[in-house]
Amino acid sequence: MNDWSRIAPQLLDATGETLYMVGVATALTVLLGVPLGVLLTITAPGALAPHPLVNRVLGLVVNLGRSLPFIILLVLVAPVTRGIVGTTIGSTATIVPLTIGAVPFLARLVETSLREVAHGKVEATLAMGARRRDVVRTVLLPEALPSLVAGVTVTVVALISYSAMAGAIGGGGLGDFAIRYGYQQFRTDITLATVVLLLVVVQLLQWAGDRWARRLATS
Amino acid sequence: MIELSDVRKVFPARRTAGEVVALDGVSLSVARGEFAGVVGPSGSGKSTLARLVNLLERPTSGTVTVDGRVLTDLDAAGVREARRSIGMIFQHFNLLDSRTAAGNVEHPLELAGVGRTERRRRVADLLDLVGLADRHASRPAQLSGGQKQRVAIARALAARPSVLLCDEATSALDPASTTGVLELLRQVRAELGLTVLLITHEMSVVRAVCDSAVLMSEGRVVDGGPLAEVLARPDSALAAQLVPAPAGSGVGGDLVLVTVTDATPHGAVLQTLTAELGLSVEVVGGSVETVAGRRFGRLLLRVEGDDGRLDPALARLRAGGALVERAAAGDPRPQSDADDTPRPDREPDVQRLADAPDVQR
Ligand SMILES: Nc1ncnc2c1ncn2[C@@H]1O[C@H](COP(=O)(O)OP(=O)(O)OP(=O)(O)O)[C@@H](O)[C@H]1O
Ligand SMILES: [Mg+2]
């Protein structure tokens, strides 16, 4: 059991892989999920740019994405992953299902945040002669920013848990590590060590996200 | 300056509610530089009326003209352009919490593409104008209600509008802040030559700042005009709300309601009743208000000993310019508590409203 000197660097590598997957997936998720959330919000009945059909279709897509268990999604999007990355194994390949799984999740959170912005603020801005895109840019997003940051934090934490699950099918990172060493070689200590690492990462992210959101809300 | 012509607004039926006719053929005209009030019970369509003027709400039919431009004929870009010259303030201020006071005032200037240095200068001037020169960096959360409304006024004036719409702008404020904000509104109206359309349910607000007013009921304008003219009409429903007639219930004898304005003859009524007719006259109620800067009062008199000469005397007094009429005991007119509280449950005096001229000035 005195192989920790061999295992520790590998554990560190696995942590790095997890952060890489989650980091890139978070960036892509924000890039896609925020506009999707904005569209969901403004096309709703009585909102800034009501469009029942678009709203209905987007809502359906988002609900589908959200109701699918991530492990099923992993398998389902494998062909897409292979098309984009060329393989379905490893951390880079895992970014694709992670992003696809997290975009609908974030989009709903964004929608909820934007809906919280008082309609009066939107009206006051329209009354100034603003275009609708100006309302999104200068009112909806800035006014909802603290809540959006909180939503992204929740999404990152969910991505970490998804990424650990992706380890089950060779996705790399801490989940992969825990399964290969901890589970398959009956090394409970290794499993525990990865769990502790995951916990620390999640705690740190949550703390940083909360702090940021709070600073935005009070500044 | 503002012309609404036969405007109707029908909100289509929803799953939860049937069709609502919010405005049912309203025509209204506000002259350049006029401070016009709109009053009426809750749900009578006041806010809808204000929101039509900058087309936040599109009329179902009828036309809206502001400063010679027929807004209802404009395309979306034209409407946006026209809105720049129509400022609006609201009951709940609607300031952006993500911006400072200065940032809020700067917002419409940013949207209009005004350059940074010009924006800064303008924001400083405007915050100075509304008396908040020292609160540039304050967030809305750090300001009182009155201060927030001042920021909102500065913001509404930023793009140099010619019209200012105020929808219940003082309804969320305490009396002291209300007075301050109203004074500011009158001041900016005078300094900038604004035309103001002010929606309120508080008669005291109309009395304090308006030159003219209309009374709305169930989506129609049922009374209105320049305040001096409205108040000189004893049967005016709007006048009855502006300066409520005193209650005469439970009092016997003949009741006479005297309306006193700057224009009515002084002392003639009492002189005639007591000295000429030898009647015994007692004051049973009265109210005096300053309206649009002029004193205006109603006195309820109880007269005893009429031998048939009262009615001819009243007719003579009327011919001489006095505003006198017989009042029934327990006159059902709204009393002074109609002031300052929205009373959705109070049905307007249907009879009198039906008789009132459909005002079009
Ligand atoms: N967006 C809307 N959809 C449906 N009905 C509406 C809408 N806005 C207003 N109404 C209805 O139109 C009528 C007039 O409303 P409005 O807000 O103009 O009244 P108001 O005189 O301003 O009342 P208050 O004094 O309570 O503010 C009401 O019956 C209201 O329910
Ligand atoms: Mg209203």
Side-chain angles (χ1 to χ4, degrees):
Chain A
M1 289 262 184
N2 263 333
D3 51 359
W4 273 101
S5 54
R6 187 173 54 82
I7 288 169
Q10 290 185 32
L11 196 57
L12 216 65
D13 282 352
T15 309
E17 269 173 31
T18 293
L19 292 180
Y20 159 69
M21 285 188 290
V22 171
V24 176
T26 300
L28 291 173
T29 301
V30 169
L31 226 58
L32 298 170
V34 172
L36 185 57
V38 168
L39 272 180
L40 268 175
T41 313
I42 65 174
T43 55
L48 199 55
H51 201 302
L53 185 69
V54 171
N55 191 254
R56 199 94 40 81
V57 170
L58 290 180
L60 209 72
V61 170
V62 164
N63 284 344
L64 191 77
R66 293 206 49 196
S67 56
L68 224 55
F70 184 68
I71 197 86
I72 309 273
L73 190 115
L74 268 177
V75 180
L76 269 181
V77 303
V80 180
T81 309
R82 193 169 295 116
I84 297 175
V85 192
T87 172
T88 60
I89 306 289
S91 38
T92 303
T94 308
I95 290 170
V96 176
L98 281 181
T99 306
I100 293 177
V103 164
F105 185 81
L106 180 63
R108 274 292 179 223
L109 293 178
V110 168
E111 186 199 9
T112 311
S113 300
L114 297 185
R115 264 214 310 248
E116 294 280 301
V117 177
H119 193 60
K121 294 175 182 175
V122 172
E123 293 220 307
T125 310
L126 287 175
M128 295 171 196
R131 286 170 302 191
R132 288 184 291 204
R133 77 182 90 126
D134 293 330
V135 174
V136 173
R137 187 174 56 83
T138 66
V139 182
L140 289 183
L141 293 174
E143 288 292 296
L145 196 57
S147 156
L148 290 175
V149 166
V152 170
T153 308
V154 171
T155 307
V156 174
V157 170
L159 274 171
I160 291 176
S161 112
Y162 287 172
S163 80
M165 222 186 284
I169 60 162
L174 284 168
D176 199 11
F177 190 84
I179 286 171
R180 261 191 286 160
Y181 294 85
Y183 181 68
Q184 286 167 1
Q185 299 182 12
F186 306 104
R187 288 287 300 268
T188 313
D189 55 340
I190 291 182
T191 310
L192 273 177
T194 46
V195 166
V196 168
L197 260 175
L198 278 171
L199 202 70
V200 168
V201 170
V202 167
Q203 278 298 327
L204 275 174
L205 282 167
Q206 187 71 53
W207 174 80
D210 286 350
R211 223 177 107 94
W212 187 15
R214 223 180 5 252
R215 277 202 18 201
L216 283 171
T218 54
S219 71
Chain B
M1 194 67 185
I2 304 172
E3 299 276 348
L4 302 187
S5 136
D6 198 22
V7 168
R8 274 175 62 82
K9 177 68 192 182
V10 181
F11 291 105
R14 293 241 180 98
R15 244 170 310 165
T16 46
E19 180 180 280
V20 178
V21 182
L23 293 176
D24 191 8
V26 169
S27 294
L28 178 77
S29 157
V30 182
R32 183 181 298 275
E34 189 172 335
F35 207 125
V38 178
V39 297
S42 183
S44 57
K46 306 184 294 294
S47 296
T48 308
L49 181 78
R51 295 159 53 80
L52 279 174
V53 175
N54 59 6
L55 249 51
L56 276 182
E57 216 74 79
R58 270 205 174 263
T60 310
S61 65
T63 58
V64 177
T65 311
V66 176
D67 207 2
R69 260 190 298 200
V70 184
L71 301 195
T72 33
D73 289 348
L74 297 175
D75 61 1
V79 169
R80 285 199 301 269
E81 176 61 33
R83 280 176 180 165
R84 302 229 161 107
S85 57
I86 307 173
M88 189 168 195
I89 57 174
F90 306 83
Q91 177 171 8
H92 298 297
F93 325 122
N94 296 341
L95 296 176
L96 301 185
D97 299 310
S98 57
R99 289 174 177 242
T100 60
N104 270 286
V105 179
E106 202 176 356
H107 192 199
L109 298 170
E110 283 168 33
L111 295 172
V114 176
R116 177 182 293 257
T117 42
E118 170 64 14
R119 287 204 308 258
R120 292 284 142 83
R121 193 167 48 230
R122 193 102 185 90
V123 168
D125 287 350
L126 285 158
L127 284 176
D128 201 29
L129 176 72
V130 301
L132 291 174
D134 53 341
R135 303 307 294 264
H136 277 243
S138 302
R139 297 272 167 175
Q142 299 161 334
L143 298 173
S144 72
Q147 289 171 330
K148 282 185 218 175
Q149 197 60 292
R150 284 167 184 275
V151 174
I153 291 171
R155 177 176 72 171
L157 298 178
R160 304 184 193 277
S162 49
V163 170
L164 182 63
L165 306 173
C166 314
D167 189 0
E168 303 276 7
T170 58
S171 301
L173 303 180
D174 62 55
S177 311
T178 296
T179 308
V181 164
L182 291 178
E183 266 167 22
L184 176 62
L185 286 177
R186 271 197 84 86
Q187 180 201 333
V188 297
R189 190 276 293 255
E191 282 178 20
L192 309 176
L194 287 172
T195 305
V196 185
L197 185 67
L198 176 137
I199 312 298
T200 185
H201 63 264
E202 296 171 301
M203 294 301 154
S204 56
V205 170
V206 176
R207 287 195 298 261
V209 293
C210 291
D211 306 319
S212 67
V214 293
L215 173 65
M216 299 203 50
S217 172
E218 296 176 352
R220 293 170 163 278
V221 171
V222 292
D223 194 4
L227 293 191
E229 181 227 288
V230 167
L231 292 171
R233 254 193 288 126
D235 62 345
S236 160
L238 178 55
Q241 297 210 2
L242 282 170
V243 182
S249 50
V251 187
D254 295 298
L255 290 176
V256 174
L257 182 66
V258 186
T259 301
V260 188
T261 74
D262 295 347
T264 50
H266 265 267
V269 176
L270 286 179
Q271 171 80 17
T272 304
L273 297 183
T274 54
E276 277 180 36
L277 304 184
L279 299 172
S280 132
V281 175
E282 185 193 347
V283 176
V284 292
S287 56
V288 179
E289 298 284 358
T290 303
V291 183
R294 295 156 104 175
R295 274 161 54 80
F296 181 91
R298 284 174 192 276
L299 270 183
L300 190 64
L301 307 178
R302 184 162 69 108
V303 179
E304 267 174 41
D306 176 29
D307 52 5
R309 291 185 298 159
L310 179 58
D311 281 320
L314 292 180
R316 237 183 315 118
L317 283 165
R318 271 195 291 274
L323 300 171
V324 286
E325 56 177 326
R326 272 181 179 273
D331 192 304
R333 279 196 185 160
Q335 300 303 313
S336 54
D337 67 346
D339 203 346
D340 297 342
T341 35
R343 283 291 186 92
D345 53 338
R346 185 197 294 282
E347 278 302 316
D349 187 341
V350 179
Q351 173 86 53
R352 200 175 309 97
L353 292 185
D355 293 341
D358 205 10
V359 176
Q360 306 191 355
R361 286 174 297 116

